[in-house]
Amino acid sequence: MQYFLELSCSGLVRGSIYALIALGYTMVYGIIQLINFAHGEVYMIGAFIALIVSGVLTIYGFSGFSILILAALIAAVYAAAYGYTLEKIAYRPLRNAPRLSPLISAIGMSLFLQNYVLLAQTPDFLPFPSLIPDFDFMEPIAHIMGSAELVILVTSAITMIALTVLIKYTRIGKAMRATQQDMTMARLVGVNVDNVISMTFVIGSVLAAIGGVLVGSYIGQINFYIGFMAGVKAFTAAVLGGIGNIPGAALGALVLGLAESYAAGYVSSAYEDVFAFGVLVLILILRPAGLLGKAVKQKV
Amino acid sequence: MLDNMKRSILVALWFVFLTFPLMVVKVNTLKNIVEWRWMNMLWVALGAFVLSIVWRWAMVRRDLKSSESDSTDDDQARPGIGQRILEDPKIFKPVLLVLAVVTLVFPLVVDIYQANIMVLALIFVVLGLGLNITVGLAGLLDLGYVAFFAVGAYTYGILNSFWGIGFWTSLPIGGLMGALFGIALGFPILRLRGDYLAIVTLGFGSIAKIVIENWEEVFNGAKGIAGIPRPGLFGLDMTIESATTYTYYLMILMVLFTIFITNRLKDSRIGRAWMALREDEIACVAMGVDMARTKLGAYAFGAFWAGLVGVIFAARNTYINPNSFTFMESALVLSIVVLGGMGSIVGVIIAALVLILMPEYLRAFAEYRMLMFGAVMVLMMIFRPEGLIANVRRKYTRSAVKTEGVNA
Amino acid sequence: MPETKKKLLEVKGLTMDFGGLRAVDAVSLEVSTGEIVALIGPNGAGKTTFFNCVTGIYNPTKGEVLVHPPEKKTQRINGFKPNRVTTIGMARTFQNIRLFHNMTVLENVMIGRHCRTTTSIVGAIMRGASTKRQEQETIEKSYELLKKVGLVNFADEFAKNLPYGAQRRLEIARAMATDPFLLLLDEPAAGMNPQETKALDELIVRIRDTEKIAILLIEHDMKLVMNISERIYVMEYGKEIAQGTPMDIRSNPRVIEAYLGEEADA
């Protein structure tokens, strides 16, 4: 029983990280029908920036929670800047190109960013400082859920609520929903579609960076390649929930995280990634619209 | 002009900001040392400044070009330089002759190391041509192509290490296994749209690698399979040198064989159906083309070549392990196709040679090659989506003797 | 020569639902040999959905689609894939032109021959005598069709470089290449100027008279429809509201109301 709870907890943690990344995928896909293949790299860059900032701050004598907050903040700002630039360079010129073009461009960008970090920093794994302190009140259940895990769950929950509020009630949120419904119409009624798309990338990138910081301090090491797998899995989660659907992405991520955790715990951890891909393939074949998505008929 | 400068300076500043933490700062968290690399900042600033000017100039040209082709319907009248070379026999024949001579004497004048690299490059030529069928002709973006390459390599490795089966028997089996896997993997994903297809094939590629890594009994796991014999010639004993030369000529034949076959298919009922599928799936099906059969054909045929050269790859290396079959290889083959020009055979050959040989001969370049590949893929899509050498438009000639009864 | 009219296509009570929405509601329709039949109605009446159900792009929720090919057995084609429908002998064009843009005009027509030819992968590699003959036949036939629609001078041009009206005619040639006994045209005159429309008008009649292909067309342009079609079906909000000769339709109060209502909206 305890083993089951442990697995459930680690599954939820995984799931909420996937969710943070998956939201970026799903928002971008919802608006411009592009699989932003480089989104995983933005998450990786977020983690790297947090690592560098916290390293520098530690050396200059900052401590504890202030480092965590500052590192996360700067990582989020930078991830946003990267997401924004990425869209401007690699996707905007291809707005009217055939469908495969932006996808290939995205793959190119993903390779580029990975190797940029590899060359600028290091090909090796870097130890990530554990920025999250141990809370005393977690002591009784520490064998099931640690402080870091609690922080991850709480942060993800807060972030997702904030995102929901943003999309439901703010001006930019309304503009995003309008653009998702019908880009031409949104443009006609005065929405600056280019800005909305940029904002979508920025918001998605910030979420991914938060995920990156949390993962870094949870797992304790990062390298240039972590974005690839995380990206693919987050995409799986987004598809699982129904791509373009924001609550769907969160749900899909939690389902995937739990499923993966149980599979790793009860079957074999070597085939963990196979399992994730297997889920993706099955979903796409059996229910391409995802758990919460609506089937869309192609217009003829 | 001044405005242009100002914008470039702003871009340079933006990139200095963007790259600052990653390019300038380097922390060693174990020893608590920060390394500040201020020189990098200068390079980034200069690079971004220059590139931004070039970028804007290129963008203006691109927009000009596209508006030009909108206004004139006849812009296709002047063929590109590639097409002119290919169509003018006066240029084409001597070029071909020189190429043939160079190709033939190449292994005799260079050392074994060079010949070996050339063999690898030729293997990637065939891989590029194979993927070109799936992606370039049929428009099915496959990000897990390397899986079929692995199928071929491991077919030979396993057949040989378990049952001692030789190269020449394994070669066709490897190709057929590739095609078989192509059909098996293609079957469940027939209905998927382009971008979903890409992700699923990526998944297949990764699954293949993980399975090979973890299934010790069959694939010998991460250790791989060693002691795979080189291609044999009537049981002759060959030195490493002569075996390499022999493999080289074998590969040349293989490339010619691939070109011959793919060319024939391209100019056939099947090739046209693939192209139509790429252009518009719904219209293609509505014109009576069987989507499932056509797609599976494209998968199987593309995968066949990967399986075939997979066998040769195993024989060349005499050793295979899962690390030769990562997503990077798939991305490499894809950039060959993209760079060469989707659907164009000559373009793919040139791109494969450039992308494989350049890092080998320009060592300084080797480190940056994946970075460059990434950049090349982005830039090609933006500025020259048709590739270095655009697919030559085929003209059909009517036979001299008019067939009767066309008015059915 | 006198010929007896024979039913080719018979649709009975065809219904198509999308989720809760009923796009086509119990529509019945018939086309016989040598006929030009039109299906008209205001925007959003469900005409194209009806077409898509008949040609296999959608699987109708209810109803029967029966095909009586000349000299062959009657078939119920509900749920057939589009390529099977075409192979039986019903070819279509699209409202928003769907050509193969990066293939030449001739190649576009050659694709239409796909289902009437048999070269396999192995055959294409071997390129034996029969393959060569088939290929040559395909080329000849395609040229002939291009001649018929007046595009033979553009044969080696990319389809995307054709002017709009020519693209529409190319779609018709491509559909004719599949040797159909019934041609389904989805708003063939959309976006054409009066001159082009008149030429199209003549082309359609010529196809019927010389090629002996029956025609079912969806049209918005009332004039074209009135001039050339023998019988007209009218749809509104997914339902069939009238059918009859052009004369009947012109004076039918419900049709007038439906069209006037639309004019008033526009």
Side-chain angles (χ1 to χ4, degrees):
Chain A
M1 187 60 196
Q2 194 197 321
Y3 188 56
F4 176 77
L5 285 179
E6 262 176 54
L7 288 180
S8 306
C9 172
S10 83
L12 283 179
V13 168
R14 255 171 212 257
S16 38
I17 301 287
Y18 291 159
L20 287 173
I21 312 171
L23 289 169
Y25 272 113
T26 225
M27 287 191 324
V28 166
Y29 195 94
I31 289 187
I32 53 173
Q33 283 78 47
L34 162 77
I35 299 177
N36 178 13
F37 214 84
H39 189 57
E41 306 335 317
V42 171
Y43 149 89
M44 178 269 293
I45 285 174
F48 256 93
I49 301 228
L51 171 85
I52 290 163
V53 171
S54 58
V56 172
L57 291 180
T58 313
I59 292 166
Y60 286 99
F62 285 72
S63 68
F65 230 68
S66 62
I67 293 184
L68 177 64
I69 300 294
L70 270 174
L73 219 66
I74 294 174
V77 168
Y78 265 100
Y82 271 92
Y84 174 81
T85 315
L86 173 74
E87 192 270 331
K88 250 192 132 156
I89 292 179
Y91 305 143
R92 187 164 298 179
L94 296 172
R95 206 55 65 70
N96 300 315
R99 224 180 38 224
L100 283 187
S101 298
L103 187 59
I104 292 174
S105 178
I107 295 165
M109 217 53 207
S110 164
L111 282 179
F112 182 86
L113 289 176
Q114 268 177 31
N115 286 278
Y116 153 68
V117 173
L118 181 153
L119 292 168
Q121 293 287 318
T122 166
D124 305 323
F125 269 98
L126 287 180
F128 200 100
S130 62
L131 300 169
I132 303 168
D134 284 327
F135 304 118
D136 294 337
F137 62 85
M138 290 299 287
E139 200 58 47
I141 54 164
H143 54 284
I144 296 172
M145 184 194 275
S147 305
E149 282 148 331
L150 180 77
V151 170
I152 290 178
L153 290 179
V154 170
T155 319
S156 317
I158 293 173
T159 317
M160 270 177 258
I161 292 168
L163 180 72
T164 313
V165 170
L166 180 95
I167 287 182
K168 276 233 158 100
Y169 301 108
T170 62
R171 233 179 106 78
I172 179 74
K174 278 182 194 146
M176 280 168 73
R177 278 183 291 148
T179 312
Q180 171 157 15
Q181 289 281 322
D182 188 333
M183 195 184 281
T184 324
M185 200 55 213
R187 191 174 282 136
L188 285 176
V189 298
V191 174
N192 185 336
V193 170
D194 280 341
N195 276 353
V196 170
I197 293 171
S198 290
M199 268 315 282
T200 310
F201 272 87
V202 164
I203 296 170
S205 302
V206 168
L207 297 179
I210 295 173
V213 178
L214 294 175
V215 161
S217 55
Y218 176 54
I219 295 181
Q221 59 170 4
I222 57 172
N223 79 346
F224 71 96
Y225 202 60
I226 57 167
F228 180 72
M229 249 322 168
V232 171
K233 288 191 181 169
F235 179 77
T236 305
V239 172
L240 186 59
I243 190 123
N245 183 316
I246 289 175
L251 177 71
L254 289 182
V255 171
L256 183 70
L258 283 172
E260 247 186 55
S261 180
Y262 295 139
Y266 291 119
V267 188
S268 154
S269 61
Y271 287 99
E272 188 185 299
D273 294 342
V274 172
F275 185 77
F277 280 123
V279 169
L280 174 66
V281 174
L282 280 181
I283 288 291
L284 283 177
I285 293 163
L286 300 177
R287 194 178 154 77
L291 295 175
L292 298 186
K294 274 179 282 190
V296 191
K297 280 262 184 226
Q298 200 181 350
K299 193 130 171 72
V300 178
Chain B
M1 190 64 208
L2 210 65
D3 186 50
N4 222 343
M5 284 296 190
K6 213 159 71 188
R7 279 170 72 184
S8 291
I9 289 172
L10 283 178
V11 171
L13 286 177
W14 173 253
F15 275 95
V16 165
F17 160 73
L18 209 58
T19 55
F20 176 76
L22 288 164
M23 293 290 286
V24 178
V25 189
K26 192 169 186 177
V27 261
N28 188 329
T29 38
L30 294 179
K31 293 189 199 140
N32 279 344
I33 313 168
V34 191
E35 190 187 331
W36 301 90
R37 301 168 294 177
W38 296 107
M39 272 314 279
N40 283 349
M41 190 189 242
L42 193 67
W43 292 127
V44 168
L46 279 175
F49 180 77
V50 173
L51 285 178
S52 125
I53 291 175
V54 176
W55 174 270
R56 234 170 299 125
W57 171 78
M59 276 313 232
V60 169
R61 271 195 45 158
R62 180 180 103 123
D63 293 345
L64 268 181
K65 212 167 87 184
S66 71
S67 66
E68 222 171 61
S69 68
D70 280 350
S71 56
T72 62
D73 292 324
D74 226 29
D75 70 314
Q76 300 297 331
R78 43 197 153 85
I81 216 168
Q83 187 161 352
R84 252 180 292 161
I85 289 177
L86 290 180
E87 278 180 356
D88 189 347
K90 261 191 223 141
I91 312 175
F92 182 58
K93 279 199 179 141
V95 168
L96 200 67
L97 196 73
V98 170
L99 274 180
V101 172
V102 170
T103 312
L104 280 180
V105 298
F106 181 81
L108 308 176
V109 292
V110 299
D111 59 21
I112 173 174
Y113 172 77
Q114 317 263 358
N116 225 344
I117 289 170
M118 199 44 141
V119 170
L120 185 69
L122 292 172
I123 286 176
F124 273 89
V125 167
V126 175
L127 284 176
L129 290 171
L131 187 63
N132 198 10
I133 292 162
T134 327
V135 180
L137 273 189
L140 306 163
L141 187 49
D142 186 345
L143 296 181
Y145 190 61
V146 76
F148 305 125
F149 189 45
V151 165
Y154 272 92
T155 298
Y156 182 31
I158 289 168
L159 284 181
N160 188 272
S161 65
F162 279 66
W163 297 287
I165 293 171
F167 173 81
W168 285 106
T169 320
S170 301
L171 189 62
I173 299 178
L176 288 179
M177 285 299 279
L180 216 62
F181 269 75
I183 293 176
L185 296 188
F187 205 71
I189 56 180
L190 281 174
R191 292 176 172 285
L192 296 185
R193 285 184 33 202
D195 34 14
Y196 279 4
L197 188 75
I199 293 287
V200 172
T201 49
L202 172 74
F204 282 150
S206 310
I207 290 175
K209 183 175 176 253
I210 296 169
V211 170
I212 292 173
E213 250 167 7
N214 290 293
W215 198 350
E216 297 273 340
E217 295 81 4
V218 179
F219 302 104
N220 211 17
K223 290 192 292 293
I225 299 174
I228 301 171
R230 291 195 168 77
L233 181 65
F234 306 117
L236 274 168
D237 255 341
M238 280 191 281
T239 60
I240 294 180
E241 283 83 5
S242 55
T244 307
T245 314
Y246 175 55
T247 315
Y248 170 86
Y249 285 122
L250 190 71
M251 247 349 270
I252 293 286
L253 283 180
M254 193 72 209
V255 170
L256 292 177
F257 180 61
T258 315
I259 296 172
F260 176 73
I261 303 269
T262 45
N263 241 337
R264 281 213 154 171
L265 265 178
K266 230 176 100 177
D267 298 335
S268 75
R269 169 178 177 266
I270 306 288
R272 278 193 302 272
W274 285 338
M275 278 189 270
L277 197 69
R278 172 193 72 194
E279 293 294 313
D280 188 327
E281 194 170 313
I282 289 180
C284 179
V285 175
M287 287 308 116
V289 177
D290 187 329
M291 185 263 281
R293 206 189 267 192
T294 310
K295 266 192 187 174
L296 286 181
Y299 271 120
F301 193 65
F304 172 76
W305 298 110
L308 213 59
V309 285
V311 173
I312 301 182
F313 179 75
R316 168 204 181 253
N317 286 17
T318 71
Y319 166 74
I320 44 172
N321 74 356
N323 288 332
S324 305
F325 309 103
T326 64
F327 174 65
M328 284 306 134
E329 275 69 32
S330 285
L332 177 57
V333 183
L334 182 66
S335 29
I336 287 171
V337 174
V338 169
L339 185 67
M342 294 204 206
S344 152
I345 289 175
V346 180
V348 166
I349 295 174
I350 295 173
L353 293 179
V354 168
L355 288 190
I356 303 297
L357 296 183
M358 204 146 79
E360 295 294 341
Y361 290 110
L362 295 170
R363 273 286 149 200
F365 177 78
E367 213 181 327
Y368 295 96
R369 79 175 184 166
M370 288 320 280
L371 190 80
M372 303 278 255
F373 288 170
V376 159
M377 282 162 89
V378 177
L379 294 177
M380 289 300 286
M381 282 302 113
I382 297 175
F383 295 111
R384 213 177 149 76
E386 71 273 27
L388 289 180
I389 296 187
N391 191 11
V392 179
R393 177 169 28 150
R394 177 156 157 70
K395 293 196 173 122
Y396 296 84
T397 42
R398 313 179 66 175
S399 59
V401 191
K402 283 272 160 69
T403 45
E404 269 180 82
V406 271
N407 303 302
Chain C
M1 58 180 179
E3 52 184 319
T4 47
K5 284 205 170 178
K6 228 186 111 251
K7 258 188 253 171
L8 292 173
L9 172 68
E10 190 179 5
V11 181
K12 293 187 203 159
L14 186 118
T15 301
M16 182 77 213
D17 293 341
F18 292 113
L21 185 87
R22 182 152 288 187
V24 177
D25 192 356
V27 174
S28 299
L29 175 150
E30 278 177 27
V31 186
S32 305
T33 45
E35 270 193 320
I36 297 179
V37 176
L39 177 61
I40 64 171
N43 272 330
K47 295 168 304 210
T48 297
T49 308
F50 176 83
F51 246 45
N52 286 340
C53 289
V54 172
T55 54
I57 292 189
Y58 299 151
N59 189 2
T61 317
K62 264 202 299 237
E64 304 250 302
V65 185
L66 299 174
V67 181
H68 313 281
E71 289 140 42
K72 266 189 218 141
K73 265 203 309 218
T74 297
Q75 274 180 296
R76 181 178 182 272
I77 60 163
N78 292 42
F80 275 28
K81 285 191 191 128
N83 56 302
R84 272 187 78 189
V85 176
T86 309
T87 312
I88 289 174
M90 303 205 311
R92 70 172 290 175
T93 64
F94 294 91
Q95 183 180 343
N96 38 353
I97 304 173
R98 301 189 84 118
L99 287 171
F100 308 122
H101 291 285
N102 293 308
M103 295 171 76
T104 65
V105 168
L106 185 68
E107 281 175 325
N108 266 273
V109 182
M110 288 168 85
I111 288 294
R113 297 299 305 159
H114 186 94
C115 61
R116 302 293 172 219
T117 45
T118 52
T119 305
S120 64
I121 289 193
V122 178
I125 293 169
M126 296 306 171
R127 207 175 269 184
S130 75
T131 304
K132 276 189 193 151
R133 197 172 50 238
Q134 219 176 56
E135 184 81 2
Q136 209 45 244
E137 264 173 33
T138 303
I139 296 171
E140 292 298 334
K141 272 216 161 132
S142 307
Y143 262 111
E144 288 307 319
L145 281 167
L146 284 181
K147 232 183 236 167
K148 281 174 191 156
V149 298
L151 289 174
V152 84
N153 292 334
F154 295 109
D156 292 329
E157 202 60 54
F158 277 121
K160 63 180 174 191
N161 295 336
L162 286 187
Y164 189 80
Q167 295 201 354
R168 289 237 175 253
R169 275 179 287 146
L170 177 54
E171 269 216 334
I172 294 177
R174 185 178 67 176
M176 281 167 68
T178 64
D179 289 347
F181 55 80
L182 175 63
L183 205 53
L184 299 103
L185 307 177
D186 194 346
E187 299 214 12
M192 282 189 171
N193 60 33
Q195 228 177 337
E196 288 174 315
T197 309
K198 193 160 166 287
L200 178 77
D201 199 288
E202 287 161 15
L203 176 65
I204 293 175
V205 173
R206 202 163 58 231
I207 291 173
R208 190 253 323 251
D209 293 343
T210 60
E211 313 289 322
K212 304 281 176 259
I213 300 174
I215 285 159
L216 171 61
L217 70 142
I218 292 180
E219 198 39 83
H220 214 71
D221 188 329
M222 290 285 268
K223 224 165 51 201
L224 178 100
V225 170
M226 295 296 171
N227 283 341
I228 63 173
S229 37
E230 269 92 47
R231 287 188 301 118
I232 296 176
Y233 292 82
V234 189
M235 278 177 80
E236 192 193 16
Y237 300 122
K239 290 200 174 70
E240 193 175 300
I241 57 167
Q243 62 159 304
T245 62
M247 283 302 263
D248 298 340
I249 296 299
R250 214 181 301 238
S251 54
N252 186 316
R254 284 217 53 191
V255 179
I256 294 168
E257 192 190 330
Y259 267 85
L260 282 181
E262 203 221 3
E263 303 270 283
D265 287 346

